[in-house]
Amino acid sequence: MPRKPAYDRDALIAQARDLFWRQGWAGTSLKDLENALKLKPGSFYAAFGSKDALYALTLERYADEGVARLEALAQELGPLGALKTQPRLVVEAANAPAKACMLAKTYAELSAKDHDLAQLAAIHLSRMKACFADLFRQAQAQGQIGLDHDPERLATRYQSDLLGLRLSAERGDVDARQIAADIAADLDRL
Amino acid sequence: MPRKPAYDRDALIAQARDLFWRQGWAGTSLKDLENALKLKPGSFYAAFGSKDALYALTLERYADEGVARLEALAQELGPLGALKTQPRLVVEAANAPAKACMLAKTYAELSAKDHDLAQLAAIHLSRMKACFADLFRQAQAQGQIGLDHDPERLATRYQSDLLGLRLSAERGDVDARQIAADIAADLDRL
DNA sequence: GGCTTTATTGAGCGATCACTCAAGTATATA
DNA sequence: TATATACTTGAGTGATCGCTCAATAAAGCC
């Protein structure tokens, strides 16, 4: 009896993610979303409930894809290889909406007001950090990294470096590829 | 003949900087500013012209004080000592409105829309980077760092590390002091 | 085709945004 | 004390914010 929606929900979430990623939470109005997603207000709210609910979906999508990409990279290059390659890939990603990490941008924008979305971003950041720690642990188990290092600490530092790199990569007067190379080189000295 | 303002302009700029620093540009409304600065709209606009004009003043103030603090630290501890101490000081600053760098937050929030304030923040970030490069050059001249390093590249990486550190320091589940110690330790290996 | 169910539409809601301005008040000079 | 010159006040501006909802259109099942 029912009628199917005319839109591809997954594609809309991806489009919304790109908008939010580039422009931030406050910087993206419903008018922006309606124009980009080609949805009138009524359809928008029927589909997603609210701006914040859609934003949460895009955060989820962003984090999931990030983890999946890193794990695929580790399958191909091994744990240390993935960690060493990731910084360069992030900087060279040409068709990404932005260089900076969407989770970090969200947290930076909204944490001061204790917004729910800031907490959600923090959760996903922790997930990513745990993912890094796993890779460092695997690298240790495979003898690629000395056992005298704490994987959690390495992961914390690595994530911090990556956040700085990705923020720097947004700037025009910074050679982010140099930074990426230096971060990768640091991993060789472990 | 005239009448003196009842407020201390410098103090108001510092208060506004703290608000903007914590809450960001879009996150700080004029009502917020009026409440914090105890100024009615009329007085506010007579004093500062616009929200953006005041924001620009606070960026200037933030950057100037940052440079001054670092140069004072270099006087006391020497160039390399200042660079090694700065990360710890930033993390331990207890009464700062936020850990993250105000320039970086501003740039991240507003660069996607080509806002004038994003460009201004970028200019000040470059000033800071040049300041770091100077200190690395001095450290080289004093023999504290090998001559085989490019001071500009060291400064770029150092600033990136610092931005990542300061962003990470906002999070509850990250031990930023560990990161700060690791960054300082890296400088010893140059 | 008739009926039910859902999607789409877009005018418009109250709230808040940055900001203005005319009226009132206080102060330094004459 | 009188006057000129600011500063202070706060109601109110149009624009935009996220969002609602009644009306209309379209699709699946009988």
Side-chain angles (χ1 to χ4, degrees):
Chain A
M1 322 159 175
R3 177 184 168 191
K4 279 189 254 168
Y7 49 75
D8 175 353
R9 186 181 165 87
D10 269 11
L12 291 190
I13 293 176
Q15 274 187 292
R17 175 204 58 203
D18 289 357
L19 251 191
F20 282 137
W21 187 355
R22 212 177 323 123
Q23 304 186 352
W25 179 80
T28 306
S29 71
L30 247 105
K31 191 147 283 184
D32 291 336
L33 288 166
E34 289 163 22
N35 290 339
L37 308 190
K38 301 280 200 307
L39 281 185
K40 311 295 173 189
S43 297
F44 180 92
Y45 283 91
F48 301 113
S50 72
K51 176 185 172 182
D52 284 5
L54 175 56
Y55 198 106
L57 286 177
T58 64
L59 277 186
E60 215 101 36
R61 169 79 56 101
Y62 176 90
D64 288 348
E65 290 186 0
V67 169
R69 203 177 313 117
L70 188 59
E71 285 177 348
L73 205 62
Q75 283 294 326
E76 192 188 344
L77 305 174
L80 189 59
L83 291 167
K84 281 171 59 180
T85 307
Q86 171 90 335
R88 186 174 53 80
L89 289 186
V90 162
V91 167
E92 290 176 353
N95 52 351
K99 302 292 187 184
C101 171
M102 183 187 179
L103 301 174
K105 283 184 75 171
T106 301
Y107 188 79
E109 181 180 3
L110 298 177
S111 68
K113 311 196 142 174
D114 288 313
H115 197 296
D116 290 343
L117 290 170
Q119 206 176 353
L120 185 59
I123 288 171
H124 288 306
L125 280 170
S126 293
R127 263 180 68 202
M128 295 290 320
K129 193 177 69 171
C131 191
F132 297 148
D134 269 343
L135 291 176
F136 277 114
R137 251 187 298 273
Q138 290 175 31
Q140 242 174 3
Q142 297 182 16
Q144 298 174 313
I145 283 180
L147 293 170
D148 54 329
H149 294 104
D150 174 13
E152 297 295 338
R153 182 165 183 163
L154 289 177
T156 301
R157 172 75 200 281
Y158 181 78
Q159 185 174 49
S160 175
D161 281 6
L162 218 52
L163 293 179
L165 165 67
R166 300 185 63 164
L167 225 160
S168 302
E170 297 264 350
R171 296 169 57 192
D173 64 332
V174 166
D175 185 350
R177 278 183 297 184
Q178 274 189 358
I179 306 175
D182 288 348
I183 292 174
D186 279 354
L187 296 180
D188 277 326
R189 307 203 284 178
L190 294 177
Chain B
M1 324 165 175
R3 176 183 168 189
K4 278 189 253 169
Y7 50 75
D8 175 352
R9 187 179 164 88
D10 269 10
L12 290 190
I13 293 176
Q15 273 187 293
R17 176 204 57 202
D18 290 357
L19 252 190
F20 283 136
W21 188 355
R22 212 178 324 125
Q23 306 187 349
W25 179 79
T28 307
S29 71
L30 245 100
K31 192 145 283 187
D32 290 336
L33 288 165
E34 289 163 20
N35 290 339
L37 308 189
K38 301 281 200 309
L39 281 185
K40 311 295 173 188
S43 295
F44 179 92
Y45 283 91
F48 302 113
S50 73
K51 178 185 172 181
D52 283 6
L54 175 56
Y55 199 106
L57 286 177
T58 64
L59 276 186
E60 214 102 35
R61 170 77 57 98
Y62 176 90
D64 287 349
E65 290 186 359
V67 170
R69 204 176 313 116
L70 188 59
E71 285 177 348
L73 204 62
Q75 282 294 324
E76 192 188 343
L77 304 174
L80 188 61
L83 290 167
K84 282 171 57 179
T85 307
Q86 171 90 337
R88 186 174 52 81
L89 289 185
V90 162
V91 167
E92 290 176 353
N95 52 351
K99 303 292 188 184
C101 171
M102 183 186 178
L103 301 174
K105 284 184 72 171
T106 301
Y107 189 79
E109 182 180 3
L110 299 177
S111 67
K113 311 195 141 173
D114 288 313
H115 197 296
D116 290 343
L117 290 170
Q119 207 175 354
L120 186 58
I123 289 171
H124 288 306
L125 279 170
S126 293
R127 263 181 67 202
M128 293 291 318
K129 194 178 71 170
C131 190
F132 297 148
D134 268 344
L135 291 177
F136 277 114
R137 251 186 298 273
Q138 291 174 31
Q140 242 174 3
Q142 297 182 17
Q144 298 174 313
I145 283 181
L147 294 170
D148 54 329
H149 294 103
D150 174 13
E152 297 294 339
R153 181 165 184 164
L154 289 176
T156 301
R157 171 76 200 280
Y158 180 78
Q159 186 175 49
S160 175
D161 282 6
L162 218 52
L163 292 179
L165 165 66
R166 299 186 64 164
L167 225 162
S168 302
E170 297 264 352
R171 296 168 57 192
D173 64 331
V174 167
D175 186 349
R177 277 181 297 183
Q178 274 190 357
I179 307 175
D182 288 347
I183 292 174
D186 279 353
L187 296 181
D188 277 326
R189 306 204 285 179
L190 294 176

